Amino acid sequence: MKFQKKHVVLGTLIIALGAAVYINWQFAENQNLEQSSKELGSAQYVNATSSTEKTSTYDEVAQTSNMTGEQQAYFANARNERDQTQDKIIDTANEVLSSDKASEDDQNAAIENIKQLLKNFTYQDSIESILKAKGFTQCLCYISDQGCNVIVLKDEMNDTSALMIKAAVTSQIDMSFDSITIVEV
């Protein structure tokens, strides 16, 4: 009976991990499409009124959409490192689960670690998607026991950005504003 439960739990976790990877792949594919469309036409909103406030806002949007190669490389490398770290944690937990020498407590701890990692992975993806929908071209979210770190482009920060970021985080995970750190790149 225990043997079957372990396999059912392991199979469920593997399916959940596969779903998380697929969702991440879909978001990454959509992001690439969004970036390529911005580069191809570089279309900007046209304002029929002569309001200087609206014109300056559109100029700011046009400037922030142009990331340097260094910034693009930073976000790509950081995402890759985060995914590799999460994969290593899952692999280690799977080794504990498949080991005959591991105690039941170790196996239960490994299952809990995988569950928490999958929750955090889902929260991170959701927060990043919300922030992109709110106008941030690039962002990264790291959730740990100590809190949440959100990395965004410095050029995209304004007076209300910090509140918007913290609201996006707290809408997905129960966390105080003090536990959320915003890092500008």
Side-chain angles (χ1 to χ4, degrees), residues 25-35:
W25 175 69
Q26 287 291 354
F27 282 125
E29 185 177 298
N30 289 340
Q31 177 186 358
N32 290 340
L33 290 174
E34 289 172 7
Q35 286 178 350

Side-chain angles (χ1 to χ4, degrees), residues 113-145:
N113 285 343
I114 290 174
K115 285 181 182 178
Q116 187 60 42
L117 181 64
L118 290 174
K119 280 183 188 177
N120 288 348
F121 190 68
T122 304
Y123 292 145
Q124 290 169 175
D125 278 346
S126 298
I127 292 167
E128 289 172 5
S129 296
I130 290 169
L131 292 175
K132 286 179 183 176
K134 290 187 180 274
F136 292 92
T137 56
Q138 284 288 348
C139 60
L140 277 171
C141 180
Y142 293 95
I143 298 174
S144 67
D145 295 337

